[in-house]
Amino acid sequence: MVILFDLDGTLTDSGEGITKCAQLALEHFGIRVEDRNQLRIFVGPPLRESFPKFGVPEDQVEEAVRIFRSRYLTVGKFENRPYPGIRELLETLRNQGHRLFVATSKPETTAVEILEKFRLSDYFERICGASMDSGRDSKEAVIAYLLELAGNVEDAVMVGDTEFDVIGASAHGIPTIGVSWGYGDIEAMERAGAAAIAHDTEELLALLEKYRNNEL
């Protein structure tokens, strides 16, 4: 079975670094958000979609992305940690013979650095992410890129924490198992068509087994 994992909010809790960088970028435009919890929506979706929601003019979004990355690529990317049970989950899935990939809207080079830091990169056949320009930044585009590299993926399933994962995978006919421990909204994932929701890594492993046996 081919399993595509989202990164932020699924494999690692990257909220601290991302929200701090978003706060810095918004303050550059005079937009103050005192409660960083309001910036949780930056975790997962492409940055270019999130900044306008806080009042950044469309013609200044690229500047906001530049400021965000100036902190994120040096400090913010390591304000991050794997969720409990993730390493054991990946170890089990690899031992079962599954092909594991990462499909993230985060820049690919950054995703590789993070997973290497936490010694998780070796579990994955390929880590696929966004390009640094806007040419490949949606989940749908990243998955399209991954599918070109992966070959036969008729039995693929996506694992992610937001409706963007569900929608992006669905565009390629791939079902998604959502996880509740990330930064997305469970009801939004269900509305988007998630096949199931896992509330911990043990439940996720069981749901993946059901999917493999055509029971999901």
Side-chain angles (χ1 to χ4, degrees), residues 77-173:
K77 64 186 177 184
F78 295 130
E79 295 171 322
N80 196 349
R81 62 185 184 276
Y83 284 105
I86 287 297
R87 185 179 307 279
E88 293 80 4
L89 171 73
L90 297 176
E91 184 78 26
T92 298
L93 292 172
R94 183 176 66 177
N95 290 342
Q96 290 176 348
H98 301 301
R99 299 175 66 194
L100 308 182
F101 294 83
V102 170
T104 175
S105 297
K106 182 184 294 299
E108 186 169 305
T109 54
T110 307
V112 170
E113 288 178 331
I114 290 169
L115 290 167
E116 286 181 346
K117 174 181 172 59
F118 295 124
R119 298 182 180 179
L120 296 176
S121 59
D122 288 346
Y123 290 106
F124 299 100
E125 188 171 323
R126 184 68 187 254
I127 298 165
C128 296
S131 53
M132 291 300 289
D133 59 23
S134 58
R136 186 178 73 240
D137 65 352
S138 70
K139 188 55 62 83
E140 180 180 347
V142 170
I143 293 175
Y145 167 64
L146 187 154
L147 294 178
E148 291 179 5
L149 302 172
N152 179 22
V153 291
E154 291 181 0
D155 57 349
V157 60
M158 179 79 202
V159 177
D161 71 310
T162 72
E163 70 267 31
F164 300 99
D165 298 306
V166 182
I167 294 167
S170 178
H172 299 284

